[in-house]
Amino acid sequence: MNDNVKTRCYGLGCVVAGVAISWPTIFDRLRLARQGVPEINVWSMASFLVGPLIVLGLVMMMFGARTETLMRDAERKRMKPFGNIVALACVVAGFGGMLGTAYMLRSYGYR
């Protein structure tokens, strides 16, 4: 396999992992809240990983082998502007998933 196909497969794996983690960490918790379960444990770190996995997976699937050269400058060991934008999107998606889940659970009356 060439590098382009490998990178796109890794991206698909990241998206699948993000979707797989989202069920027990986010959607199952909200389902339990709708059913009125007395106590719900929240997996904050796992719900934080859902967004970045999906964002990075989509970027890798879109750009393939060019992803690394678009995101970082290997000679100077620095991120390029596109890499900073992707990193910011990962942080925002991570906090959005984590805080959004917590907010939704609070709206159902859980702490």
Side-chain angles (χ1 to χ4, degrees):
M1 253 197 276
N2 65 20
D3 290 339
N4 196 31
V5 174
K6 282 182 185 178
T7 305
R8 290 178 196 270
C9 286
Y10 293 149
L12 180 63
C14 284
V15 170
V16 168
V19 170
I21 292 172
S22 72
W23 171 251
T25 60
I26 297 172
F27 296 113
D28 191 43
R29 302 294 177 233
L30 295 176
R31 180 186 61 83
L32 292 172
R34 281 193 299 270
Q35 291 177 352
V37 175
E39 186 176 321
I40 295 177
N41 295 328
V42 180
W43 302 348
S44 297
M45 281 307 285
S47 64
F48 183 86
L49 292 175
V50 171
L53 278 171
I54 292 175
V55 168
L56 284 176
L58 290 175
V59 168
M60 288 172 27
M61 286 173 53
M62 285 190 299
F63 296 109
R66 296 181 303 149
T67 303
E68 185 176 0
T69 58
L70 289 172
M71 291 181 61
R72 70 181 198 100
D73 185 1
E75 292 174 5
R76 294 185 352 194
K77 297 181 181 178
R78 291 194 172 270
M79 295 289 285
K80 290 183 177 179
F82 180 69
N84 289 328
I85 291 170
V86 171
L88 180 63
C90 287
V91 169
V92 169
F95 276 113
M98 184 177 69
L99 297 176
T101 303
Y103 175 77
M104 290 295 293
L105 289 174
R106 268 191 238 115
S107 73
Y108 284 110
Y110 295 93
R111 288 186 178 191

